[in-house]
Amino acid sequence: MSETNILDGVFERVTHVSKVFKDRDVLRHDYVPGKLPHREDQIRQLGETIAPVLRGARSSNIIIYGKTGTGKTAVVKYVLNHLEAKAKEFSAPIRFCYVNCRIVGSEYRIFASLCQNVGVAVPFTGLSTGEVFDRFQTGLDSSKTTLIIVLDEVDALIKARGDILLYELTRINESLSRSKVSLIGISNDLRLKELLDPRVLSSLSEEEMVFRPYDANELRHILSERSSISFHECTLSESALNLCSALAAAEHGDARRALDLLRVAGEVAERQGVAVVVEDHVREAEKHIEHNRVFEALKNLTFHSKLVILSVYTLSKAEIQKAITGEIYEVYSEICGEVGIVPLTQRRLGSLVNELDSMGLLNAKVTSMGRYGRTKRIKLEIARGLIKDVFANDGRLGRLVDYVPNCLSKCANNPH
Ligand code: ADP
Ligand code: MG
């Protein structure tokens, strides 16, 4: 087939009228639905907390905790959209600024987007963070407004860079005379408290909300509402919907996961040219999503962690499925020599192994050796083929996929 023909097929699939989807965009992560079932209490509580801004008062700062996919971002955007409409109706001087701290990344860029929000231009780089903050403060004060700042995924910023940004923002009202700031912090990590200075914490958590995970029934309800606007009628079987909900509930009650399963299952059915999504499509979707997750995770590992994975991979190819740390270290050291870098210590390798275990890429199990004490047995938790796919295209690591270290050459020559 010529290349144009291949592309014709690809484009055709995208532009043809879908048999399955009525509106696929409704399944995107950033879509804010018109209704958020099972979050009525949270919507009311957040609404009550920020309502005072409508009469010119500052609302309490609030911090929202909950695992990913529990509806935190959706609820906050939903409430602020409604508040914004009300503010327009009353001509109340209220502004909103939503920042995803994980995506925006640095204090400088967060302050820069706050500046932009109050109409103050700042260059991309070149100023000190303090200077950008001062400009924001001055700009805000002269705008005579109440500004509601949403700091979404603030835990990611704090873990990477500490709590300086929050420290500045929680104190900002002391230096404003004509404007006010209210903060809404959102954290996926329930242990955020441990990372914050007590003064920052007490000021940010004047109010606190926790979003608990959804159960399978709630997820099914959420999915069925969303599928009625995203799928054509009768294209989604009840059993497929139930399976998406059950799988996501078993994960950790993650609505995003449930919606992803639903979307990808629809895409699988569509590629097969069938008009009804059934359980098999959901199972296939689960595999796709997991494959992509692992693929991305492997690609983004640090160099030494990649070498650790390659070492366990190499051992596994030599039929050593459950290796001890010492064996991995031996192979790893040889591979380091091969690429010309200094190996980390065995102790450090041990902590990389633990990290890879918690990411689900390796499995490290402590086993008892009777009176000889205990040892850790480490094996791959993912398919060898996948590791080969990821590393074979990696410039520095590609040739190591077939590398046989000296310490294993004897085993490798053995057909078993
Ligand atoms: P979080 O911010 O807690 O990680 P999100 O608010 O991004 O979670 O929600 C994940 C996805 O699930 C979004 O697409 C959102 O629209 C949807 N969602 C979450 N909760 C509900 C709900 N109660 N009703 C409908 N959709 C929901
Ligand atoms: Mg979110």
Side-chain angles (χ1 to χ4, degrees):
M1 203 192 285
S2 79
E3 276 169 36
T4 6
N5 287 342
I6 298 172
L7 283 179
D8 276 349
V10 174
F11 295 154
E12 178 66 21
R13 243 176 282 141
V14 177
T15 50
H16 87 302
V17 178
S18 169
K19 274 196 241 167
V20 177
F21 293 110
K22 186 155 57 179
D23 184 357
R24 197 189 311 234
D25 280 350
V26 164
L27 296 168
R28 283 166 50 124
H29 290 163
D30 55 0
Y31 174 81
V32 182
K35 271 198 279 181
L36 292 165
H38 310 291
R39 285 295 178 244
E40 292 81 4
D41 290 347
Q42 288 76 5
I43 290 173
R44 186 173 311 110
Q45 190 185 342
L46 182 60
E48 283 169 357
T49 307
I50 60 173
V53 296
L54 286 172
R55 48 178 166 75
R58 184 187 80 83
S59 65
S60 299
N61 292 335
I62 183 161
I63 181 145
I64 299 177
Y65 296 101
K67 292 196 172 162
T68 50
T70 51
K72 302 179 300 298
T73 303
V75 162
V76 169
K77 286 191 168 169
Y78 177 94
V79 171
L80 291 188
N81 286 347
H82 281 76
L83 183 74
E84 190 166 19
K86 264 282 174 266
K88 278 212 181 96
E89 199 180 312
F90 295 162
S91 309
I94 304 174
R95 282 172 189 269
F96 303 88
C97 187
Y98 169 91
V99 211
N100 183 308
C101 300
R102 182 177 53 80
I103 294 170
V104 174
S106 70
E107 285 94 355
Y108 186 99
R109 292 183 51 201
I110 293 172
F111 286 143
S113 47
L114 290 171
C115 279
Q116 201 181 16
N117 190 277
V118 294
V120 175
V122 283
F124 258 167
T125 54
L127 301 177
S128 72
T129 309
E131 171 66 24
V132 185
F133 180 71
D134 289 345
R135 289 195 191 181
F136 162 62
Q137 193 166 310
T138 315
L140 173 63
D141 213 19
S142 59
S143 73
K144 297 185 194 152
T145 46
T146 300
L147 177 65
I148 298 180
I149 303 175
V150 181
L151 299 168
D152 202 351
E153 306 199 45
V154 70
D155 47 325
L157 178 84
I158 288 162
K159 279 179 199 159
R161 316 180 64 98
D163 60 4
I164 296 171
L165 173 116
L166 280 180
Y167 184 76
E168 297 288 359
L169 286 179
T170 47
R171 287 168 20 133
I172 193 171
N173 284 307
E174 294 163 19
S175 15
L176 295 173
S177 53
R178 290 164 296 173
S179 293
K180 301 183 185 80
V181 166
S182 294
L183 297 171
I184 301 177
I186 305 179
S187 170
N188 287 328
D189 190 339
L190 293 140
R191 295 162 309 173
L192 180 73
K193 289 181 179 165
E194 296 160 20
L195 303 171
L196 290 178
D197 178 295
R199 280 168 302 174
V200 173
L201 179 66
S202 70
S203 156
L204 184 61
S205 55
E206 290 169 330
E207 292 273 344
E208 207 177 285
M209 284 166 73
V210 178
F211 283 38
R212 56 167 184 76
Y214 294 112
D215 66 26
N217 275 333
E218 292 170 335
L219 288 172
R220 198 168 48 80
H221 187 190
I222 291 170
L223 288 189
S224 90
E225 296 256 334
R226 194 73 70 91
S227 62
S228 65
I229 41 176
S230 54
F231 283 77
H232 287 302
E233 225 166 304
C234 303
T235 54
L236 182 63
S237 72
E238 191 72 21
S239 57
L241 194 87
N242 288 342
L243 184 57
C244 289
S245 325
L247 291 173
E251 182 93 352
H252 63 250
D254 181 342
R256 180 170 326 172
R257 171 95 177 156
L259 286 162
D260 282 346
L261 282 166
L262 191 66
R263 190 194 72 248
V264 178
E267 286 166 359
V268 172
E270 180 146 85
R271 268 201 300 276
Q272 293 178 359
V274 296
V276 180
V277 181
V278 296
E279 278 186 50
D280 276 350
H281 299 129
V282 179
R283 300 246 175 246
E284 195 60 32
E286 192 188 21
K287 275 192 237 150
H288 267 289
I289 293 172
E290 179 59 11
H291 182 277
N292 288 347
R293 183 190 76 81
V294 172
F295 206 88
E296 286 303 308
L298 281 174
K299 250 185 12 198
N300 294 321
L301 289 176
T302 60
F303 193 63
H304 280 281
S305 292
K306 283 182 181 169
L307 295 186
V308 174
I309 291 279
L310 263 177
S311 308
V312 184
Y313 165 86
T314 306
L315 283 157
S316 153
K317 272 202 316 187
E319 301 296 325
I320 302 173
Q321 307 297 354
K322 291 184 183 167
I324 57 172
T325 316
E327 288 169 326
I328 298 176
Y329 192 67
E330 217 176 320
V331 175
Y332 160 82
S333 305
E334 259 193 57
I335 294 183
C336 282
E338 187 64 27
V339 286
I341 59 166
V342 180
L344 303 171
T345 61
Q346 183 161 338
R347 196 193 159 100
R348 188 71 190 99
L349 177 127
S351 60
L352 292 184
V353 165
N354 290 341
E355 245 174 59
L356 294 165
D357 174 68
S358 68
M359 293 172 77
L361 301 175
L362 292 181
N363 176 310
K365 222 184 217 150
V366 178
T367 51
S368 165
M369 312 238 296
R371 61 194 167 109
Y372 300 106
R374 295 183 314 159
T375 184
K376 224 180 216 172
R377 292 277 172 190
I378 297 136
K379 63 173 179 138
L380 285 179
E381 188 70 359
I382 50 178
R384 285 216 299 262
L386 188 58
I387 296 176
K388 195 168 174 176
D389 286 351
V390 174
F391 293 148
N393 296 318
D394 184 316
R396 254 176 115 185
L397 297 173
R399 70 196 166 86
L400 294 172
V401 168
D402 297 315
Y403 174 69
V404 181
N406 289 329
C407 60
L408 288 177
S409 51
K410 252 187 278 151
C411 312
N413 291 334
N414 178 341
H416 300 292

